Amino acid sequence: MGELFMYCTDELADISFAQAFSLLMELFISKAKEFLTISEQEISAFVDKFLDTIPDALKIKLKAV
């Protein structure tokens, strides 16, 4: 498990935190569309509510891009 973590952190060092977060959000949205039976509007509303609840320090980092 430790080797996997080291591999992932080495790979992520090449992209910014905001890029990594964006990729994770895109993956989440893609899988939500694939597996959930809710509309795209409902998914967007859920993502917006999620983003509204993240800590301010994180929001600042994400807006810096």
Side-chain angles (χ1 to χ4, degrees):
M1 178 82 173
E3 289 178 19
L4 176 62
F5 179 73
M6 291 299 292
Y7 175 77
C8 290
T9 56
D10 289 344
E11 291 296 315
L12 289 177
D14 293 338
I15 62 174
S16 73
F17 172 78
Q19 289 170 316
F21 187 83
S22 178
L23 288 171
L24 288 171
M25 289 303 299
E26 287 175 21
L27 177 63
F28 172 79
I29 292 167
S30 168
K31 293 302 169 186
K33 289 178 183 176
E34 184 178 333
F35 289 102
L36 301 177
T37 56
I38 61 176
S39 71
E40 193 157 331
Q41 289 175 327
E42 290 171 309
I43 292 171
S44 291
F46 176 79
V47 170
D48 289 343
K49 288 206 179 276
F50 170 75
L51 293 174
D52 286 344
T53 63
I54 61 175
D56 289 338
L58 184 56
K59 288 180 188 177
I60 292 168
K61 281 191 161 234
L62 293 172
K63 289 181 182 179
V65 174

